[in-house]
């Protein structure tokens, strides 16, 4: 054990990145390091980065700037950049940032301990970014120590082969690859043994699970199998792709008790012209057909989405189609973004880039429409009783927080008879803008 000391880890980006950070924490702890709340005293500092939009990418450069000064006072500090910016920029980062020791792509997380030890001994500066496309290394890493005592992420597949015109993920995470279902079941059983009640299955395109496996289980069959794991009470999954959404998933949500009534199904745009330019593989009417299917089979199911405004060539009419789509679908919640040109993607150099002011105005409009819809849903819940899993203590003294099966955050007071990990019935007293307020029945 070459290192006994402190580590600090900073995470940007999606749930997959959060989970990768959890895995890295576990690996660093196996090496004898202990987590620290700030980088100043740390022997190893990891920045786990996201490249999805320009703004996300810039955060790594400002973090690295701060670390440069810290390392002047503490030259033995090992600085690691992991995640999607690492994968995209590769060894260029080492040339640009002389205080950086290791560039670590997502396919090399399991090597982190050896690399840290090696760098500690030799001070060699290393870049590990080749795609190795071997999902079995995920099994070695599992189960990672999560940040919640009762909820845990489980990676079921890595990468994405869709190459949507705007997106860096296929370049930063490699091709779509599903893990063996037996390994996943084993991992989930282990988590259940450690008191985990809720799992969230992760994949960039999670409902395409199994399509790349020969004779492998498909996603709804995986859900069926995981439903049999004793101790697991709730199963969530993200992100689903509309083109791979079929009736078997609607049936699984309707028929499997443990599978929660929530689908995150990014629409991106309401305009068929824009959807086509994005390469999404569906028209708005196809999307409507699919959610219709879902709403018939599982009327309780919440639907959330991601939307992009200002994709190159998006006219006023195209944007109007997005506005109409929001009113038509009435999503429970959406995450909306201004299009950001990303290096290496098809959309980067498309003509007809939309001016920043127009993107800004369109995003504001989308926020306004959706806030109203979300709040209406929340208000409609007032007086009803929902099921919540207690995930932790709220910010206020004597308060718990949890999530409904439909993935809405609910805060409620501790009645003195329950603990984190319990599933309780909660009466909703107030529907707020971003959450619900309730009391235990
Ligand atoms: N795999 C998921 C989401 C991946 S990234 C899916 O296919 O939906 C999360 C969200 O970021 C995307 O849904 C998209 O809305 C947004 N996004 C991705 N690239 C972007 C870009 N270049 N500019 C703006 N938003 C982007
Ligand atoms: Fe990106 Fe499209 Fe893959 Fe989602 S499906 S990760 S948006 S390329
Ligand atoms: Fe960002 Fe990479 Fe996730 S680009 S959104 S961290 S897959």
């Amino acid at each position: 054990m070459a290192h006994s000391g402190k580590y600090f880890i900073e995470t940007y980006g999606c749930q997959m990145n959060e989970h990768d950070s959890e895995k890295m924490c576990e690996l660093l702890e196996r090496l004898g390091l202990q987590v620290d709340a700030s980088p100043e005293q740390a022997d190893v500092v990891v920045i786990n980065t996201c490249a999805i939009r320009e703004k996300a990418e810039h955060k790594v450069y400002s973090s690295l700037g701060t670390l440069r000064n810290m390392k002047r006072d503490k030259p033995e500090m090992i600085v690691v950049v992991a995640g999607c910016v690492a994968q995209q920029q590769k060894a260029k980062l080492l040339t640009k940032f002389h205080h950086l020791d290791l560039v670590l792509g997502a396919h090399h997380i399991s090597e982190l301990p050896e690399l840290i030890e090696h760098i500690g001994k030799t001070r060699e500066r290393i870049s590990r970014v080749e795609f190795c496309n071997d999902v079995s290394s995920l099994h070695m890493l599992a189960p990672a120590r999560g940040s919640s005592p009762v909820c845990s992420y489980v990676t079921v597949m890595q990468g994405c082969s869709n190459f949507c015109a705007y997106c860096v993920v296929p370049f930063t995470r490699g091709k779509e690859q599903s893990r063996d279902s037996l390994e996943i079941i084993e991992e989930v059983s282990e988590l259940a043994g450690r008191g985990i009640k809720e799992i969230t299955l992760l994949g960039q395109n999670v409902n395409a699970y199994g399509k790349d496996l020969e004779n492998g289980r498909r996603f709804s069959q995986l859900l069926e199998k995981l439903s049999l794991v004793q101790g697991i009470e709730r199963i969530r999954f993200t992100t689903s792709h509309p083109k791979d959404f079929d009736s078997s998933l609607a049936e699984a949500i309707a028929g499997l008790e443990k599978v929660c009534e929530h689908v995150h199904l990014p629409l991106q745009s309401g305009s068929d012209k824009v959807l086509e330019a994005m390469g999404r593989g569906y028209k708005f009417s196809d999307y409507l057909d699919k959610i219709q299917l879902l709403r018939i089979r599982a009327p309780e199911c919440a639907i959330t989405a991601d939307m992009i405004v200002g994709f190159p060539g998006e006219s006023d009419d195209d944007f109007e189609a997005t506005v109409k789509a929001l009113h038509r679908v009435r999503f429970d919640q959406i995450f909306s973004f201004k299009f950001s040109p990303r290096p290496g993607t098809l959309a980067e150099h498309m003509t007809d880039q939309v001016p920043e002011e127009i993107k800004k105005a369109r995003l504001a409009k989308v926020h306004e429409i959706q806030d109203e819809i979300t709040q209406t849903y929340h208000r409609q819940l007032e007086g009803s009783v929902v099921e919540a899993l207690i995930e932790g203590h709220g910010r206020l003294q004597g308060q718990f927080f949890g999530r409904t099966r439909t993935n809405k955050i609910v805060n409620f007071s501790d009645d003195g008879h329950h603990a984190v990990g319990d599933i309780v019935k909660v009466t909703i007293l107030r529907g707020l803008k971003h959450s619900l307020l309730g009391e235990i029945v």
Side-chain angles (χ1 to χ4, degrees):
M1 217 176 283
H3 283 268
S4 60
K6 298 269 169 75
Y7 74 91
F8 173 80
I9 186 159
E10 189 170 273
T11 309
Y12 299 103
C14 60
Q15 289 155 305
M16 266 144 265
N17 239 25
E18 282 173 32
H19 191 38
D20 285 348
S21 284
E22 291 173 348
K23 292 170 190 164
M24 287 191 275
C25 287
E26 176 150 310
L27 291 172
L28 291 171
E29 283 173 25
R30 281 188 208 158
L31 208 58
L33 295 165
Q34 284 181 334
V35 69
D36 206 354
S38 70
E40 283 92 354
Q41 304 300 321
D43 303 274
V44 176
V45 176
V46 181
I47 316 173
N48 194 11
T49 61
C50 172
I52 202 79
R53 285 167 291 274
E54 205 180 357
K55 229 168 144 186
E57 182 176 343
H58 280 163
K59 289 183 186 151
V60 59
Y61 303 121
S62 68
S63 297
L64 276 171
T66 318
L67 286 172
R68 181 185 284 126
N69 298 333
M70 280 179 204
K71 198 164 167 172
R72 246 175 235 141
D73 300 332
K74 200 169 191 273
E76 68 284 4
M77 176 190 267
I78 296 177
V79 179
V80 183
V81 171
C84 290
V85 178
Q87 190 64 51
Q88 228 186 10
Q89 298 291 324
K90 306 190 172 66
K92 266 187 280 175
L93 284 174
L94 292 177
T95 323
K96 254 170 123 176
F97 299 95
H98 295 281
H99 60 300
L100 177 60
D101 299 286
L102 175 60
V103 180
L104 189 73
H107 288 189
H108 296 272
I109 287 180
S110 61
E111 295 161 44
L112 181 65
E114 299 143 47
L115 289 166
I116 294 287
E117 290 203 303
H118 179 78
I119 293 167
K121 279 189 209 127
T122 63
R123 297 312 307 190
E124 194 185 337
R125 302 173 69 226
I126 300 174
S127 158
R128 265 289 191 286
V129 289
E130 315 70 43
F131 281 144
C132 55
N133 289 328
D134 177 11
V135 272
S136 65
S137 75
L138 288 170
H139 197 50
M140 276 162 46
L141 287 177
R145 188 206 60 167
S147 35
S148 158
V150 289
C151 303
S152 186
Y153 293 128
V154 176
T155 306
V156 301
M157 61 195 301
Q158 72 177 18
C160 178
S161 305
N162 281 331
F163 291 94
C164 298
Y166 49 82
C167 185
V168 289
V169 172
F171 304 98
T172 62
R173 299 270 165 166
K175 67 173 188 205
E176 215 159 88
Q177 277 186 298
S178 301
R179 286 178 66 194
D180 179 75
S181 63
L182 293 177
E183 290 188 358
I184 298 170
I185 295 164
E186 194 184 312
E187 179 171 333
V188 171
S189 306
E190 272 183 64
L191 290 169
R194 296 207 327 243
I196 294 294
K197 298 281 193 299
E198 178 183 295
I199 51 167
T200 301
L201 309 178
L202 295 180
Q204 284 297 347
N205 193 1
V206 75
N207 55 329
Y209 173 83
K211 286 192 173 174
D212 59 315
L213 297 175
E214 246 174 77
N215 309 318
R217 288 202 170 95
R218 287 306 185 78
F219 189 55
S220 49
Q221 295 168 314
L222 179 69
L223 288 173
E224 237 171 82
K225 286 287 167 202
L226 293 177
S227 280
L228 300 175
V229 176
Q230 274 201 3
I232 297 297
E233 313 260 9
R234 285 175 158 196
I235 302 174
R236 300 184 184 280
F237 51 91
T238 198
T239 296
S240 303
H241 195 298
K243 79 171 167 47
D244 297 304
F245 186 95
D246 60 19
S247 58
S248 70
L249 186 52
E251 293 303 327
I253 295 168
L256 297 170
E257 180 75 32
K258 293 179 182 178
V259 174
C260 288
E261 292 77 25
H262 169 226
V263 185
H264 185 61
L265 199 64
L267 170 63
Q268 312 297 4
S269 170
S271 152
D272 286 342
K273 186 192 98 194
V274 174
L275 287 172
E276 180 161 9
M278 287 175 164
R280 290 289 291 175
Y282 53 86
K283 291 193 164 76
F284 180 55
S285 60
D286 302 326
Y287 188 93
L288 281 180
D289 289 347
K290 298 202 178 196
I291 60 169
Q292 183 67 4
L293 196 86
L294 179 62
R295 281 177 169 163
I296 289 171
R297 285 300 287 123
E300 304 274 280
C301 192
I303 303 173
T304 59
D306 298 337
M307 299 296 283
I308 295 177
V309 298
F311 186 79
E314 184 188 71
S315 65
D316 287 342
D317 284 350
D318 294 319
F319 179 65
E320 216 30 61
T322 290
V323 167
K324 273 205 190 124
L326 294 178
H327 288 301
R328 178 85 190 263
V329 178
R330 294 185 64 79
F331 292 106
D332 288 74
Q333 178 65 279
I334 61 168
F335 301 94
S336 45
F337 312 99
K338 288 183 288 186
F339 167 73
S340 167
R342 303 311 293 133
T345 62
L346 214 61
E348 182 190 9
H349 298 298
M350 279 183 179
T351 49
D352 290 341
Q353 296 281 336
V354 174
E356 181 61 24
E357 294 73 66
I358 296 183
K359 286 191 209 172
K360 223 169 142 181
R362 287 180 182 170
L363 186 67
K365 175 99 195 231
V366 165
H367 281 165
E368 186 193 330
I369 294 167
Q370 187 57 45
D371 282 354
E372 148 89 36
I373 295 172
T374 301
Q375 180 135 31
T376 306
Y377 274 120
H378 286 178
R379 288 224 185 93
Q380 281 168 353
L381 283 171
E382 288 176 3
S384 69
V385 174
V386 299
E387 183 201 285
L389 167 66
I390 306 181
E391 290 182 31
H393 296 277
R395 260 180 296 145
L396 299 177
Q397 180 83 25
Q399 229 185 24
F400 281 137
F401 79 91
R403 272 174 304 152
T404 66
R405 290 179 61 93
T406 53
N407 208 33
K408 298 180 199 300
I409 296 193
V410 52
N411 290 288
F412 45 96
S413 45
D414 178 356
D415 64 354
H417 301 292
H418 291 94
V420 172
D422 285 354
I423 289 182
V424 289
K425 296 262 186 247
V426 175
T427 307
I428 300 304
L429 303 174
R430 281 187 65 199
L432 308 171
K433 204 166 163 187
H434 300 293
S435 63
L436 305 167
L437 203 63
E439 69 182 4
I440 296 178
V441 174

